């Protein structure tokens, strides 16, 4: 029996009419590449992050690659990261010629385990890329204590954490490099895109060079290029979407947190015991880590009656509800196996990678949608 209810996706962008009008204005303006909208978007985000410089790009992937280049990381250097992320997080390390080193995750937060990070540090380690999975920051005090003790750079993969906080401070308003993604499913989107929060204007100028072919100056008096850059700039069309989304960030974050609270209420205190599944860590005002609830992920019971594939199919076919999984462990992809990684190296990542499922969570969702998703999960998992 299939559901008569409309399809409930796991994620969906909301673009309001004012934003659509602003994009039309850019299209009619005669200037559609990087221009005044990009400058305005960067200035607004810089203010939001306490005055730190912000530069935009055409993806969250190249923001991290550029941060690594600015930090001077390359051949012979090791960078420690997590295997439970989108593959971009590790690919950028290879892209700059450095060596990715994985640390296992903490089963409670599903983020990189900082004890394992310390254990993985060698004389060749130059940086850490922590990922704030689903928007939940790691222990930022501990992260920066480790970085300063071992003189390591930090490139925060905050792709999913726009609007999240640590101890009352916005992610991005402190720390070293902080990288955000505006890919279509993110809490705020530019279609595709990214932003990097930097430490000073010198780094910001380097970011500008790396995002546009390494050009140092151009004009009637000539042009010069002194580093190998790429074509990574954001257009004004994208920035107009970003400005419209950013104007609503407080509502977006508050609504997602309400939906998350409703998820916990609807699952109820006995859900984990009855189903064998694990809910995400409840990270609201009582915790130092305050998630933006980019994703709401449960971990299915191991050796349960349903595999993840069966569970996802049942959600789709019986209840017309979309789900996803974020993520399959990076170290088990062929590219990484070919570099020597194999099963058994990071057991917590492998287990969560096999059992995690992402339930619907997006700005246009209602608490009735949450009830519908929870009822479906219970019907499948609780016999
Ligand atoms: C954790 C994480 N890291 C990196 C990325 C890469 O961002 P983008 O797709 O904008 O390149 C994403 C999003 O796709 C992500 O979720």
């Amino acid at each position: 029996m299939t559901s008569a209810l409309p399809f409930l996706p796991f994620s969906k962008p909301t673009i309001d009419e004012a934003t659509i009008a602003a994009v039309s204005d850019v299209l009619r303006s005669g200037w559609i590449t990087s221009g005044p909208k990009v400058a305005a978007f960067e200035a607004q985000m810089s203010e939001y992050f306490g005055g730190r410089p912000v530069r935009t790009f055409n993806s969250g992937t190249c923001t991290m690659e550029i941060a690594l280049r600015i930090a001077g990381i390359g051949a012979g250097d090791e960078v420690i990261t997590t295997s439970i992320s989108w593959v971009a997080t590790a690919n950028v390390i290879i892209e700059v010629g450095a060596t990715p080193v994985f640390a296992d995750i903490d089963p409670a937060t599903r983020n990189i385990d900082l004890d394992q990070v310390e254990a993985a540090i060698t004389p060749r380690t130059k940086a850490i890329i922590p990922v704030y999975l689903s928007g939940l920051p790691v222990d930022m005090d501990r992260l920066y204590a480790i970085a300063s003790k071992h003189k390591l750079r930090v490139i925060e993969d905050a792709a999913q954490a726009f609007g999240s906080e640590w101890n009352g401070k916005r992610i991005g308003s402190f720390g070293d490099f902080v990288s955000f993604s505006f890919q279509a499913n993110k809490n705020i989107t530019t279609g595709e895109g990214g932003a990097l929060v930097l430490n000073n204007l010198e780094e910001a100028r380097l970011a500008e060079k790396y995002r546009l072919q390494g050009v140092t100056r151009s004009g009637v008096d000539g042009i010069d290029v002194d580093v190998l850059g790429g074509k990574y700039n954001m257009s004004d069309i994208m920035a107009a979407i970003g400005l419209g989304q950013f104007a609503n960030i407080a509502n977006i974050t508050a609504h997602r947190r309400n939906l998350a609270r409703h998820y916990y209420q609807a699952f109820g205190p006995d859900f984990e015991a009855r189903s064998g599944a694990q809910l995400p860590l409840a990270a609201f005002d009582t915790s130092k880590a305050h998630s933006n609830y980019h994703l709401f992920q449960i971990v299915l019971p191991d050796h349960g009656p349903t595999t993840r594939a069966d569970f996802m199919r049942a959600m789709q076919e019986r209840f017309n509800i979309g789900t996803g999984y974020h993520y399959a462990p990076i170290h088990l992809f062929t590219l990484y196996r070919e570099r020597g990684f194999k099963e058994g190296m990071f057991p917590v990542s492998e287990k969560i990678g096999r059992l995690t499922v992402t339930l619907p969570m997006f700005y246009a969702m209602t608490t009735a949608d949450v009830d519908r998703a929870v009822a479906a999960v219970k019907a499948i998992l609780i016999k």
Side-chain angles (χ1 to χ4, degrees):
M1 251 270 297
T2 51
S3 166
L5 293 168
F7 180 60
L8 177 62
F10 83 79
S11 182
K12 186 169 77 175
T14 298
I15 312 286
D16 62 21
E17 289 304 319
T19 305
I20 293 170
V23 171
S24 303
D25 288 347
V26 171
L27 293 173
R28 290 193 184 96
S29 73
W31 190 275
I32 59 176
T33 185
S34 310
K37 296 287 179 192
V38 165
F41 190 31
E42 289 176 347
Q44 287 190 17
M45 283 192 286
S46 174
E47 198 184 327
Y48 181 76
F49 294 125
R52 302 186 75 203
V54 178
R55 293 296 179 270
T56 52
F57 304 90
N58 55 27
S59 78
T61 304
C62 67
T63 63
M64 292 190 287
E65 185 187 321
I66 286 170
L68 286 165
R69 291 195 192 284
I70 294 170
I73 290 163
D77 299 333
E78 292 176 358
V79 179
I80 302 174
T81 193
T82 167
S83 185
I84 294 295
S85 181
W86 178 227
V87 67
T89 311
N91 280 355
V92 292
I93 301 170
I94 301 179
E95 194 68 50
V96 300
T99 304
V101 172
F102 294 105
D104 210 350
I105 57 169
D106 171 346
T109 62
R110 306 165 195 167
N111 279 330
I112 198 164
D113 180 334
L114 294 174
D115 289 330
Q116 304 273 341
V117 169
E118 280 219 276
I121 293 171
T122 74
R124 300 191 335 160
T125 308
K126 290 286 163 9
I128 311 170
I129 307 185
V131 175
Y132 309 148
L133 192 69
S134 77
L136 181 72
V138 298
D139 180 334
M140 304 297 287
D141 300 339
R142 175 100 199 275
L143 170 71
Y144 278 101
I146 294 171
S148 104
K149 181 172 163 202
H150 297 277
K151 299 194 170 36
L152 305 177
R153 298 303 301 262
V154 178
I155 294 101
E156 298 181 29
D157 183 351
Q160 304 186 355
F162 207 101
S164 298
E165 287 134 35
W166 172 257
N167 208 12
K169 289 185 295 187
R170 279 183 192 132
I171 293 301
S173 67
F174 63 98
D176 197 351
F177 296 106
V178 187
S179 169
F180 294 101
S181 165
F182 303 130
Q183 173 266 342
N185 286 341
K186 298 297 186 279
N187 287 25
I188 66 168
T189 185
T190 55
E192 298 288 353
L196 184 63
V197 186
L198 304 117
N199 296 289
N200 51 53
L201 288 176
E202 196 187 326
E203 285 181 357
R205 272 191 287 275
L206 273 174
E208 288 166 10
K209 277 205 290 187
Y210 281 119
R211 78 179 168 187
L212 239 164
Q213 312 291 7
V215 172
T216 51
R217 63 184 171 85
S218 70
V220 286
D221 295 324
I223 175 166
D224 194 22
V225 171
D226 68 355
V227 291
L228 182 64
K231 181 73 167 90
Y232 299 133
N233 56 308
M234 178 178 277
S235 73
D236 265 21
I237 301 168
M238 298 154 90
I241 305 172
L243 283 163
Q245 295 269 294
F246 181 64
N248 199 28
I249 184 66
N251 291 333
I252 291 170
T253 309
H255 186 61
R256 284 172 172 271
R257 286 174 175 163
N258 275 341
L259 292 173
R261 280 194 176 85
H262 199 79
Y263 259 118
Y264 290 109
Q265 276 163 16
F267 275 120
D270 61 349
F271 169 74
E272 291 186 329
R274 290 181 67 203
S275 67
Q278 188 200 342
L279 296 178
L281 199 70
F284 296 108
D285 322 72
T286 50
S287 144
K288 274 188 167 182
H290 199 186
S291 178
N292 64 359
Y293 282 95
H294 169 59
L295 302 171
F296 195 93
Q297 300 174 290
I298 62 169
V299 176
L300 296 175
D302 209 356
H303 313 300
T306 38
T307 64
R308 177 171 60 196
D310 289 341
F311 175 87
M312 292 176 73
R313 262 192 292 271
M315 288 291 280
Q316 174 81 50
E317 288 164 12
R318 285 171 55 195
F319 299 100
N320 209 17
I321 297 174
T323 54
Y325 60 91
H326 305 87
Y327 291 95
I330 298 171
H331 72 278
L332 297 182
F333 290 144
T334 303
L335 177 72
Y336 289 83
R337 286 179 188 270
E338 284 168 2
R339 301 175 75 91
F341 295 104
K342 53 180 186 284
E343 254 117 13
M345 285 180 139
F346 307 104
V348 185
S349 300
E350 288 165 25
K351 183 175 170 194
I352 301 238
R354 188 160 47 81
L355 299 170
T356 187
V357 178
T358 303
L359 300 181
M361 171 64 90
F362 52 92
Y363 183 57
M365 212 172 136
T366 64
T367 51
D369 292 328
V370 172
D371 289 335
R372 184 181 155 197
V374 170
V377 172
K378 287 182 174 172
I380 297 167
L381 293 184
I382 301 175
K383 301 292 168 203

